[in-house]
Amino acid sequence: MRRNSPLTVIFCLFLLVSWNTFAEAQLTKLKVGYSAISEVDLPAWVAKEARIFEKNGLDVQLIYFTGGTTAVLALVSGEVPISQVAGPAVVNSALAGSDVIMVAGGATSLDYWLMSRPEIKKAEQLKGGSVAISNFGAASDFVARYALDKIGLTPGKDVTIVQAGGISDRLAAVLVGRVQATVLNPPASFIGQKKGLNILADVAKLGLAFQNTGVASSRRFNREQPDIVRRYVRSQVEVSYNQKVWKQEIGRRTLS
């Protein structure tokens, strides 16, 4: 058998590198914001790590913003053209005159617990204390006020609402005693429960229909780049209906 000449090997390597470069060049680069480290943002990460975005022609860079208000400000400024964010921040921004819109529903329920320090076991014990949220106008702000009202407390009168940052920051604030309570969703809520925090209100059981985290963009970007928006939404829909991908990714994260 004839041996491959060095020139042939070099030529084949050149073709391989050229093909990979060409394939990467066909992907549309896209910056996407997300506003919480929680299970409602998992579809975006699954789509990225399972290469479903690539399948739909997108090279997505996921950028973390602390809270929905900050994520929407990034949309308004043009820092990102698409963001994973809940309804309240989008509505508040639109009412203020921005062209931000929700293009896909995503999560439509409130999977939150109002959680307090171990020594606070009843709602009345929270009077005079403070409750941490991410930032004013975000989903955590709405959820905290709604939950407090449902357990008979008036925000701003009976308790103080404090901006503390993302979910991990809020959890830490409660654990060290900087605040007396906060609203958390999985996985932080499960961590809080293991640390001894009490559940003052299971917001999911209160029956409120709510636009939680979905896909937001601007009217301008949606008008000028409709194909990119469709491909992004298509990727998330594919993740949502592909249970095998979900199980594989969740299993991988559990073992890592």
Side-chain angles (χ1 to χ4, degrees):
M1 295 178 62
R2 284 170 43 184
R3 293 182 179 178
N4 291 329
S5 68
L7 184 60
T8 302
V9 174
I10 292 172
F11 179 70
C12 290
L13 289 173
F14 172 77
L15 288 179
L16 180 62
V17 171
S18 298
W19 173 255
N20 287 337
T21 302
F22 174 76
E24 291 176 0
Q26 303 309 300
L27 298 178
T28 301
K29 292 186 179 297
L30 181 66
K31 291 182 178 180
V32 175
Y34 66 102
S35 60
I37 302 173
S38 68
E39 94 286 4
V40 291
D41 283 297
L42 190 57
W45 282 104
V46 173
K48 180 175 176 63
E49 297 190 22
R51 307 187 76 170
I52 293 175
F53 283 138
E54 290 184 26
K55 175 185 173 182
N56 287 291
L58 299 175
D59 178 10
V60 173
Q61 178 188 359
L62 293 171
I63 303 172
Y64 175 59
F65 295 100
T66 306
T69 303
T70 308
V72 168
L73 285 174
L75 277 177
V76 174
S77 69
E79 185 177 350
V80 295
I82 292 176
S83 189
Q84 300 283 136
V85 65
V90 174
V91 172
N92 290 333
S93 181
L95 290 174
S98 79
D99 72 338
V100 174
I101 56 173
M102 189 73 75
V103 296
T108 54
S109 62
L110 283 171
D111 192 12
Y112 280 88
W113 289 341
L114 174 63
M115 306 191 76
S116 63
R117 288 186 49 77
E119 65 271 17
I120 299 175
K121 296 178 171 59
K122 298 179 181 179
E124 54 266 28
Q125 293 177 294
L126 194 56
K127 283 188 176 182
S130 55
V131 176
I133 62 169
S134 59
N135 41 52
F136 296 127
S140 60
D141 185 18
F142 173 85
V143 172
R145 294 174 188 273
Y146 176 75
L148 288 168
D149 179 69
K150 288 296 183 180
I151 62 174
L153 298 175
T154 303
K157 180 182 177 182
D158 297 324
V159 294
T160 302
I161 304 296
V162 179
Q163 297 182 110
I167 292 177
S168 57
D169 297 318
R170 302 200 304 271
L171 174 59
V174 178
L175 292 176
V176 301
R178 278 178 44 218
V179 296
Q180 284 64 56
T182 189
V183 285
L184 300 171
N185 59 353
S189 54
F190 301 144
I191 296 172
Q193 191 175 32
K194 288 183 178 180
K195 295 286 186 178
L197 299 187
N198 294 310
I199 303 171
L200 293 184
D202 184 342
V203 186
K205 293 181 179 179
L206 297 179
L208 178 68
F210 179 81
Q211 176 55 66
N212 205 336
T213 298
V215 180
S217 186
S218 65
R219 294 184 187 278
R220 179 178 178 180
F221 189 77
N222 198 52
R223 181 175 62 250
E224 294 178 353
Q225 302 289 347
D227 184 57
I228 293 178
V229 175
R230 278 194 294 268
R231 282 187 279 158
Y232 185 85
V233 173
R234 186 186 305 130
S235 299
Q236 293 234 1
V237 170
E238 186 173 340
V239 169
S240 298
Y241 282 95
N242 194 330
Q243 296 297 318
K244 182 178 180 181
V245 171
W246 269 98
K247 290 177 181 178
Q248 287 177 341
E249 184 60 23
I250 292 172
R252 188 188 67 79
R253 284 173 175 266
T254 302
L255 292 173
S256 60

